[in-house]
Amino acid sequence: MITISTDFCGGNAQILSVTEDTVVFTPELRDTEGDWFYWAFRVCGAQGKTVHFTMAPKYWIGYFGAAVSHDLYHWSWSGTPDEGHTGFTYTFGADEDCVYFAHDMLYHPSRFYRLAERIGMPVTVPVTDRCGTPLPMAVLGDGEHNILLTARHHCCEATGDYIMEGILSEFARDPIPGCRITAIPFVDADGVVHGDQGKNRRPHDHNRDYADGIYPGVRLVKELVGRGDVVCAFDLHSPWHFGGSNNKLFIVHNSNAHLTDEFIRFGALLHEEIAADPNAMLYDTKNDMPIGVEWNQGGPINKSNGAWCGSQPGVKIAFSFETTYFGEEGNVVSQDKLVATGRCFCRTIRRYLTEKGVL
């Protein structure tokens, strides 16, 4: 008998019906305003069966099918999307008693702790989230200049944590002189654990909270930047589901007009680093998002992470970096490629700070 469940970290789905060969489901929106696309569930008891999973007419399946895992740590693509991306098919092996399926390659909090142990990075829990979820923070290095990394302001956007893992791994291998990294991998820790969408959360999501500070993760970021030693702040995101610019990697310019040249220069350096690494996701500066392009119409300096951090004394550069959920033919997302991209990003930080005379 097939059973579907969401009682795991990051689980999200409303199961509408289950038969021997068809599962109908839809994402749970919870407190998200409007519609969004994140989903994740576990299937047990389907050994040897071929099952069709559908959410028609919603088209929240990626180009390469569902993300598939047996342990919430290793992920691959099913490769079986329906035409129109409204569902996918999966043939279960005889020994596949429990399989996880998700919109994209999830990043479980336990992976961050494994990373910390592997590279010798201390992790503390300076605050808990509103529902009591631990909100971890890690510091790597002991230099006077602080490089701040954040991810999961929108809790469903897992790709940013893989980029962060690559940055931290590269820094551990080759530290940047005079610098340390402070990493907050799950700004919306409650949402990561509960499996929320996070984006457009009522009354506003975490990346629209820098004026109000109703969320503990945002208050922690503001406290750290307020200490005056942060020189760079990079907020790591995933964009919308897919299509157009959402299939790319791109830097999002913000309303700090005095930083426009810095965004352009950092992008040029990042392009060089990624072009030299065949293991990384492709990136081109032509895909970056200046103010006034598509949805990036600017906004109040005190509202989002990148804009607020970039307006603070001592911060030389601050922006959001968007990493596609799926990529496209010839540039398909994998966990290893995302981590390699993060390594390139770390090398770019070193070159940028060297040019700025910080090092």
Side-chain angles (χ1 to χ4, degrees), residues 312-340:
Q312 301 305 298
V315 177
K316 298 189 179 300
I317 191 168
F319 59 76
S320 293
F321 184 62
E322 302 273 359
T323 309
T324 176
Y325 284 111
F326 313 116
E328 51 201 339
E329 292 295 342
N331 192 32
V332 178
V333 163
S334 72
Q335 293 172 290
D336 288 345
K337 289 179 75 172
L338 292 174
V339 172

Side-chain angles (χ1 to χ4, degrees), residues 9-225:
C9 177
N12 177 301
Q14 182 181 0
I15 307 303
L16 304 180
S17 67
V18 180
T19 66
E20 284 301 298
D21 61 3
T22 304
V23 173
V24 181
F25 72 100
T26 191
E28 284 192 339
L29 296 175
R30 302 175 185 168
D31 61 353
T32 284
E33 187 74 31
D35 203 0
W36 213 247
F37 47 76
Y38 174 77
W39 55 271
F41 55 80
R42 178 177 57 222
V43 179
C44 297
Q47 298 95 312
K49 294 182 170 64
T50 297
V51 181
H52 181 231
F53 300 86
T54 180
M55 61 172 69
K58 295 183 183 297
Y59 57 101
W60 302 144
I61 308 297
Y63 293 128
F64 312 109
V68 182
S69 178
H70 298 90
D71 58 4
L72 290 175
Y73 189 89
H74 302 92
W75 292 89
S76 60
W77 299 115
S78 72
T80 55
D82 289 357
E83 185 176 357
H85 301 280
T86 59
F88 66 97
T89 300
Y90 190 81
T91 298
F92 292 81
D95 59 349
E96 285 189 295
D97 53 344
C98 280
V99 182
Y100 296 91
F101 299 96
H103 170 266
D104 55 274
M105 295 180 172
L106 308 188
Y107 192 103
H108 196 281
S110 64
R111 180 170 176 132
F112 187 78
Y113 285 97
R114 288 195 217 182
L115 167 70
E117 182 176 4
R118 186 169 70 247
I119 65 176
M121 177 175 65
V123 179
T124 61
V125 180
V127 298
T128 57
D129 215 338
R130 297 200 295 178
C131 293
T133 306
L135 207 158
M137 181 180 80
V139 178
L140 190 59
D142 57 6
E144 62 175 312
H145 303 300
N146 195 4
I147 299 164
L148 179 62
L149 306 178
T150 52
R152 310 295 279 275
H153 275 85
H154 302 136
C155 56
C156 71
E157 298 178 6
T159 62
D161 277 324
Y162 290 103
I163 301 296
M164 182 181 291
E165 177 174 316
I167 295 171
L168 293 168
S169 298
E170 182 68 13
F171 188 94
R173 186 193 70 82
D174 187 14
I176 300 175
C179 294
R180 69 186 188 278
I181 291 181
T182 301
I184 304 175
F186 314 111
V187 174
D188 181 2
D190 282 345
V192 170
V193 170
H194 297 161
D196 292 344
Q197 306 291 332
K199 179 72 174 181
N200 298 331
R201 185 192 294 279
R202 293 186 291 266
H204 56 247
D205 67 42
H206 286 60
N207 204 35
R208 297 295 180 270
D209 188 43
Y210 280 78
D212 299 328
I214 65 174
Y215 300 116
V218 171
R219 292 198 297 269
L220 175 60
V221 171
K222 294 183 72 171
E223 177 189 340
L224 291 169
V225 177

Side-chain angles (χ1 to χ4, degrees), residues 339-353:
V339 172
T341 304
R343 288 183 175 275
C344 293
F345 200 102
C346 185
R347 294 193 288 271
T348 303
I349 296 172
R350 173 193 289 269
R351 291 180 62 187
Y352 174 79
L353 290 177

Side-chain angles (χ1 to χ4, degrees), residues 246-262:
N246 303 290
N247 299 339
K248 314 291 185 180
L249 283 63
F250 56 95
I251 291 171
V252 181
H253 296 200
N254 55 56
S255 297
N256 290 292
H258 68 287
L259 295 180
T260 298
D261 289 345
E262 308 305 318

